Amino acid sequence: MPEYNAATDLLERNLRAGRGGKVAYVDAFGPVNYTALAERVDRAGDALRGLGVQIEQRVMLVMQDTVDLVAVFLGAIKIGAVPVPVNTLLTAADYAHFLGDSRARVLVVSDALLPKLRDARACSPWLAATVVARTPEGGPDDGLPRLDDLLAAATPGLAAAPTCADDVAFWLYSSGSTGKPKGAIHLHAHLERTATLYAQGVLGLREDDVVFSAAKLFFAYGLGNALTFPLAVGATTVLLAGRPTPAAVFATLEGRACTVFCGVPTLFASMLADAAHA
């Protein structure tokens, strides 16, 4: 089977199309263009390799929605590792289960969320390193390595691992409605196929769209809306680090000139009931 790496595909198609200077993401820290995103992904992958992450090993992400989550997610895929983004609103017991079940080698956690992971980290015999990523509100780092420092020391121009379309790309955990949450396995090919069949074939997403997904990147819905789909066509994505309250969503929509908004029925109902925007 020929080599194929989903991270390489999603990034290089935009550089080949001349979109290097186009804004790929806008998060709480500002805009990031496609060239800078590709470099950040390479640095993230190189940093993970420097921490000893090998092909097919899991990297757990407990992170708020910023471009750092995108970079680490794609950087892990590029080196053939398996990122596992998980819900940021769960308990210490949940995180202990995820770390144990996935046997994650490295954990990348937002500083604002680190206190919830302290007990879980201590319970995992497979976890070799924890890296702390910045958030807009800030938080402790417990003296652990900072993602920004690792990225600054890492090398761009990362060579992709020799993966193929049927190799495992990432895991996403179920909600646990039928027992303990279960890791659903997704392949490299799934990213491209869902983008082609749904984002382009159904939504008609275009390069000139500005996308905002209230659903977070740790959800399958949010991951497609805010990562796979816009990157597949060269669109711009707006990321909200905090919780998508009606006020925060309205402020984002009004301030970023979004053309595509991805939400869920409960959020739409809350927005319609918001007196400040009635």
Side-chain angles (χ1 to χ4, degrees):
M1 181 174 289
E3 289 187 11
Y4 175 78
N5 187 284
T8 301
D9 179 13
L10 288 173
L11 294 165
E12 289 191 355
R13 66 171 62 189
N14 289 294
L15 301 181
R16 288 195 304 269
R19 301 188 189 108
K22 184 178 187 292
V23 174
Y25 282 94
V26 181
D27 68 2
F29 300 103
V32 176
N33 65 31
Y34 274 97
T35 295
L37 176 64
E39 179 178 327
R40 200 167 186 85
V41 168
D42 280 359
R43 289 180 180 274
D46 186 63
L48 290 173
R49 277 184 176 166
L51 293 170
V53 176
Q54 299 181 28
I55 194 167
E56 297 184 1
Q57 289 184 329
R58 270 73 65 196
V59 178
M60 182 160 291
L61 313 180
V62 187
M63 303 174 70
Q64 292 184 356
D65 280 16
T66 68
V67 73
D68 283 340
L69 196 165
V70 176
V72 176
F73 180 85
L74 292 176
I77 290 175
K78 190 165 183 178
I79 65 170
V82 180
V84 187
V86 299
N87 194 323
T88 59
L89 303 174
L90 300 179
T91 67
D94 292 316
Y95 296 124
H97 168 67
F98 292 147
L99 285 169
D101 184 70
S102 69
R103 299 182 181 178
R105 191 72 179 157
V106 170
L107 165 69
V108 185
V109 55
S110 293
D111 52 19
L113 304 171
L114 182 59
K116 295 202 297 182
L117 274 292
R118 285 182 180 135
D119 291 342
R121 289 171 48 228
C123 295
S124 175
W126 295 281
L127 189 64
T130 299
V131 178
V132 180
R134 64 177 177 165
T135 57
E137 66 269 40
D141 62 20
D142 290 5
L144 295 165
R146 301 286 305 194
L147 180 61
D148 280 346
D149 295 336
L150 294 181
L151 294 180
T155 302
L158 181 71
T163 55
C164 67
D166 287 344
D167 280 330
V168 176
F170 63 99
W171 290 14
L172 290 175
Y173 273 91
S174 65
S175 63
S177 58
T178 58
K180 286 286 187 181
K182 300 171 181 65
I185 295 173
H186 299 264
L187 309 182
H188 280 255
H190 294 171
L191 291 159
E192 190 279 330
R193 289 174 187 169
T194 54
T196 299
L197 296 174
Y198 180 69
Q200 298 174 58
V202 176
L203 297 182
L205 206 63
R206 303 189 307 268
E207 178 183 354
D208 58 353
D209 278 317
V210 178
V211 180
F212 170 52
S213 174
K216 295 297 184 177
L217 285 163
F218 58 73
F219 288 122
Y221 183 53
L223 188 67
N225 296 337
L227 195 152
T228 311
F229 300 166
L231 290 183
V233 299
T236 296
T237 304
V238 177
L239 296 175
L240 176 66
R243 298 188 69 168
T245 63
V249 170
F250 276 122
T252 302
L253 293 173
E254 292 166 356
R256 297 298 182 184
C258 301
T259 61
V260 177
F261 171 50
C262 308
V264 295
T266 52
L267 175 61
F268 294 141
S270 298
M271 292 172 68
L272 289 170
D274 188 284
H277 293 86

